[in-house]
Amino acid sequence: MTHTPFSCPCGETEWHIEAPKSGLHLICYCADCQTAARHLGADTVLDAAGGTEILQVAPEQITFTKGAENLGVLRLSPKGLMRWHTTCCNTPVANTVQSPKIAFAGVIASNHRGDPKALGKVRAWVNTVYARGARKPAKDQGMGRMAWTFLSRAFVQFTSGRWRNTPFFAGPDMAPVATPRVLSKEERNRARP
Ligand SMILES: [Zn+2]
Ligand SMILES: [Zn+2]
């Protein structure tokens, strides 16, 4: 298996992704991704149109090789996505859903340190209604592909029991490895794009 390296900008946290080309490489322009990045003070993960470049994989493909204890998790609302980030330098790492049984991780691609080609081509542009500026994409593309990949991945991971291999949840009750912090309405509004 081939893997490709990732690290936060300060270098205290490192991870890699196995078989990155099996993932779906996309750009999400949604207001929530922008809000999370802005709240963390990590606007540098956003492109000029407000997009976040993401590689969607199964959590078992992610291995932390340094500073796994630096994981923190943020939620924009009590039911929002689990937005994992480093606590060393407040850098977004990956998004998961609340239940590890739905095996899914959207890894933030700006931390990628390997050959750019390792992640494959960008194949979906989603929530473009929230994009802005001159380089804003005209419309969403690849939504069907994204939904299909999500469902088939989660199905295989669940039926095989491989959903249990995740760096984000642990223990007999598969609890999150960090305590989620839910933003207040004020904090959320302040960071809105
Ligand atoms: Zn998003
Ligand atoms: Zn760091």
Side-chain angles (χ1 to χ4, degrees), residues 46-187:
L46 303 173
D47 67 22
T52 306
E53 194 181 325
I54 289 172
L55 185 73
Q56 294 186 338
V57 295
E60 68 169 359
Q61 290 171 255
I62 308 168
T63 304
F64 284 87
T65 49
K66 184 182 170 190
E69 69 280 6
N70 296 332
L71 275 178
V73 59
L74 183 77
R75 306 184 81 171
L76 298 188
S77 66
K79 290 191 172 164
L81 280 182
M82 305 274 274
R83 294 176 179 274
W84 298 88
H85 57 86
T86 65
T87 53
C88 44
C89 56
N90 280 341
T91 297
V93 169
N95 304 321
T96 69
V97 295
Q98 181 174 4
S99 168
K101 290 183 180 172
I102 301 168
F104 165 82
V107 178
I108 313 300
S110 56
N111 302 309
H112 184 223
R113 305 288 176 240
D115 178 354
K117 286 191 188 131
L119 305 187
K121 286 199 178 109
V122 174
R123 295 167 85 191
W125 293 261
V126 302
N127 300 308
T128 54
V129 64
Y130 298 101
R132 55 175 188 269
R135 302 187 60 193
K136 164 184 164 61
K139 59 176 172 53
D140 283 13
Q141 279 185 66
M143 286 296 273
R145 187 199 298 271
M146 186 172 86
W148 168 250
T149 327
F150 174 86
L151 290 170
S152 51
R153 181 195 304 114
F155 178 79
V156 169
Q157 289 277 318
F158 184 74
T159 52
S160 63
R162 278 156 52 196
W163 64 271
R164 289 183 174 278
N165 307 326
T166 166
F168 303 111
F169 301 87
D173 56 352
M174 293 298 279
V177 298
T179 307
R181 196 171 94 69
V182 179
L183 292 196
S184 68
K185 221 177 190 170
E186 293 70 39
E187 286 177 307

Side-chain angles (χ1 to χ4, degrees), residues 28 30 33 127:
C28 181
C30 85
C33 285
N127 300 308

